[in-house]
Amino acid sequence: MSGSKKTMTPKDAALEALAYFRRHANPENAEKLQRYFKDPVDSYGVDYGPFKEWKADFHERLKTHWTLQEALEFCELMLEDKYMESRGTGYQVVGVFVGEAGPDLLVKIKKWLEGYCGNWGLVDNLAPYVLSPLLKKHPGLVDEVKDWTDSPNQWVRRGAAVGLVSLVGDPQFQDAAYEVATRLQGDKEDLIHKAVGWLLREAGKVDAERLETYLLDQGPRTPRTTLRYAIEKFPKEDRKRIMAATK
């Protein structure tokens, strides 16, 4: 239509996003961010405040004329850039449209966890924005996600736990959350211990008695890091008692 605004293609959107990141790159911020990660991470170090504003406007513009298909094409383009801001933005744009997704999106999510995360920050971006709403829409997928706990890839295993964090208040996901926690009890990775602790802490907000019973039953099998995270919201005396009882 004459005079109508031209639709932004996924390639155009990727070019805009990458230009923004490169224009606002801040090596000092990137160095500070590295302190939160054990292994090296690639980051542009963009200032979060302005980035958040830019991202909100960016999402709003895309929502008016894109579908999930364009969002997926955009995400794949952004994953080609190794930096956290690029990949995280790709995941979050998919999250804007995840309400349109069918169960088959789970295959892509697992592929992204396996090949395009590489640190806890990106897992904790992908799982809440994309995996959690997909599971809420298609709860039957949770059985497949529970099996991710057997993956040799630690980011897939972490995704299984983090993906349930925001859902554990829903009764249909509570049993799954405890099953994932139990399956990951013997994990060797500290980042998995923390993720499981986070999941259990949220479960405890819903039913503190069930969490306490679970922790006492698991006893010393529960890593101490997991335990500390899990009981963080308990009263001090209860924390001391549970820590002592599970040695």
Side-chain angles (χ1 to χ4, degrees):
M1 182 185 297
S2 177
S4 64
K5 190 172 181 180
K6 183 181 178 182
T7 298
M8 183 161 51
T9 68
K11 184 175 181 180
D12 291 337
L15 289 173
E16 178 183 327
L18 292 171
Y20 176 87
F21 299 145
R22 290 163 183 163
R23 187 166 64 249
H24 295 279
N26 185 325
E28 185 177 336
N29 284 348
E31 185 176 345
K32 290 178 182 176
L33 180 68
Q34 179 62 63
R35 298 171 192 170
Y36 296 97
F37 297 87
K38 182 169 59 176
D39 298 316
V41 298
D42 295 297
S43 169
Y44 287 109
V46 297
D47 288 321
Y48 181 72
F51 175 37
K52 186 177 179 181
E53 292 182 12
W54 171 85
K55 186 168 56 178
D57 173 72
F58 188 66
H59 289 181
E60 195 62 35
R61 286 185 284 135
L62 300 181
K63 277 198 299 187
T64 61
H65 58 262
W66 272 15
T67 66
L68 177 64
Q69 182 56 42
E70 282 88 7
L72 291 171
E73 291 175 19
F74 169 79
C75 185
E76 294 293 344
L77 290 168
M78 297 303 287
L79 293 179
E80 294 175 8
D81 189 65
K82 64 181 180 178
Y83 290 83
M84 288 186 65
E85 292 90 344
S86 301
R87 292 181 173 181
T89 297
Y91 298 147
Q92 289 187 20
V93 166
V94 172
V96 173
F97 298 91
V98 73
E100 302 174 19
D104 56 317
L105 182 59
L106 191 65
V107 175
K108 277 190 177 293
I109 294 172
K110 188 178 182 186
K111 183 191 78 170
W112 293 340
L113 286 166
E114 289 171 334
Y116 296 96
C117 282
N119 60 68
W120 64 262
L122 285 172
V123 175
D124 293 4
N125 191 306
L126 172 58
Y129 279 96
V130 186
L131 178 58
S132 299
L134 184 70
L135 289 175
K136 187 171 185 178
K137 184 181 180 186
H138 303 286
L141 293 174
V142 76
D143 286 335
E144 189 171 342
V145 171
K146 286 189 291 188
D147 288 339
W148 289 4
T149 56
D150 294 325
S151 172
N153 186 299
Q154 68 168 314
W155 310 123
V156 174
R157 301 197 305 276
R158 184 175 173 99
V162 177
L164 288 168
V165 165
S166 67
L167 302 176
V168 75
D170 186 332
Q172 69 179 324
F173 292 107
Q174 287 170 15
D175 288 348
Y178 278 99
E179 185 172 344
V180 164
T182 303
R183 290 187 182 197
L184 291 172
Q185 283 282 27
D187 205 283
K188 305 296 184 187
E189 297 291 342
D190 183 61
L191 288 171
I192 304 300
H193 300 169
K194 291 177 179 177
V196 172
W198 179 16
L199 176 61
L200 290 174
R201 183 181 67 201
E202 296 306 305
K205 291 179 183 179
V206 179
D207 188 341
E209 184 177 348
R210 179 175 182 178
L211 175 59
E212 180 174 341
T213 299
Y214 172 81
L215 293 173
L216 293 175
D217 178 68
Q218 293 296 308
R221 290 190 297 275
T222 301
R224 303 309 274 179
T225 298
T226 295
L227 191 59
R228 291 188 188 96
Y229 272 63
I231 62 176
E232 190 176 44
K233 300 300 181 181
F234 278 43
K236 182 178 179 181
E237 288 305 311
D238 288 340
R239 295 199 305 269
K240 289 174 63 176
R241 176 174 51 79
I242 294 170
M243 290 293 288
T246 53
K247 282 185 178 177

